[in-house]
Amino acid sequence: MKHDDHGFLIAGNWKMNGSQELFSQFQQVFADGIDGVSVVVCPPYTLIRQESHNVISVGGQDVSEQASGAHTGEVSAQMLCDAGCRYAIVGHSERRVQQQENDDLIASKLIAAINSGLTGILCIGESEQIRESGQLFSFLESQLAAALKQLNKQQLQQVVVAYEPIWAIGTGNAATEQQVQEVHGFIRDYVCSLDMEVGSAMQLLYGGSVKPSNASALFSLPDVNGALVGGASLQPDTFYEICQLASEKR
Ligand code: PGA
């Protein structure tokens, strides 16, 4: 195992897709689990069922920053736990853009998730415009700092960072291996500057057009510990293949 003793984490983000039927198909395909790989599926809230989580872990695609009360349409971290979730995605770029979620709100959501015992999958990533303007690293650092700086060591241990360049999401064009390693190394250094031990062990996921044809090369990179998969997580066999490729890299 290359970086620590946490192994690989492969998370599928179904976005606003899927059905009970699809969830059952996943249960069948993943019935025996995958050696050395933690597999997580983040379906829409309506598909989260306590009884369905025996092999794959389940996560929310989002979480409310509030604990309870008059927040129509929201789902709290405690409710996700109650439904059997172990993870929650926070700060996905689609929510940052479509729901205008800012760094402060995302930081609050991350703390809410962590404090309920969930592992927060914090998404960060730049637009093409930011990359071209030469502000890539200062931008990513500001996203990281806003979400992570106020966390104590124990809280930080419940975070996974997913680097998802916006220009690579859903386009079929993943970032190059060099681009991914460069950013992942930067993220690792940043988290190590907060806490060396947590930074060295933190699972860093890459997301953005991950598919069987590029997964193996991405999983070989020193600071890539898994993937956040969108489109390719909707086909059980394809997602299984990606998880299997991670298993081979252990
Ligand atoms: P994609 O999506 O794999 O379809 O590019 C990734 C994501 O949005 O998490």
Side-chain angles (χ1 to χ4, degrees), residues 13 15 92 94 164 168-171 207-210 228-232:
N13 174 11
K15 308 188 181 184
H92 191 281
E94 283 153 20
E164 297 209 309
I169 295 177
T171 59
S209 298
V210 174
L228 181 54
V229 186

Side-chain angles (χ1 to χ4, degrees), residues 165-175 206 208-209 211:
I166 295 172
W167 46 270
I169 295 177
T171 59
N173 299 318
Y206 168 74
S209 298
K211 44 197 166 189

Side-chain angles (χ1 to χ4, degrees), residues 170-188:
T171 59
N173 299 318
T176 65
E177 290 149 47
Q178 194 196 344
Q179 287 169 327
V180 173
Q181 176 53 35
E182 186 181 34
V183 169
H184 279 227
F186 174 81
I187 297 170
R188 176 122 19 238

Side-chain angles (χ1 to χ4, degrees), residues 148-245:
L148 302 182
K149 227 175 169 173
Q150 72 266 35
L151 302 183
N152 64 33
K153 182 172 183 137
Q154 210 188 341
Q155 292 171 320
L156 209 50
Q157 276 166 333
Q158 281 173 250
V159 178
V160 169
V161 174
Y163 169 53
E164 297 209 309
I166 295 172
W167 46 270
I169 295 177
T171 59
N173 299 318
T176 65
E177 290 149 47
Q178 194 196 344
Q179 287 169 327
V180 173
Q181 176 53 35
E182 186 181 34
V183 169
H184 279 227
F186 174 81
I187 297 170
R188 176 122 19 238
D189 287 348
Y190 178 82
V191 184
C192 282
S193 76
L194 300 177
D195 186 294
M196 186 56 82
E197 194 191 348
V198 181
S200 319
M202 185 177 278
Q203 286 173 313
L204 304 183
L205 313 184
Y206 168 74
S209 298
V210 174
K211 44 197 166 189
S213 59
N214 59 24
S216 188
L218 290 165
F219 296 155
S220 299
L221 299 171
D223 288 302
V224 172
N225 315 114
L228 181 54
V229 186
S233 76
L234 289 169
Q235 290 146 344
D237 292 338
T238 308
F239 191 55
Y240 186 84
E241 203 179 332
I242 292 170
C243 296
Q244 200 63 55
L245 290 166

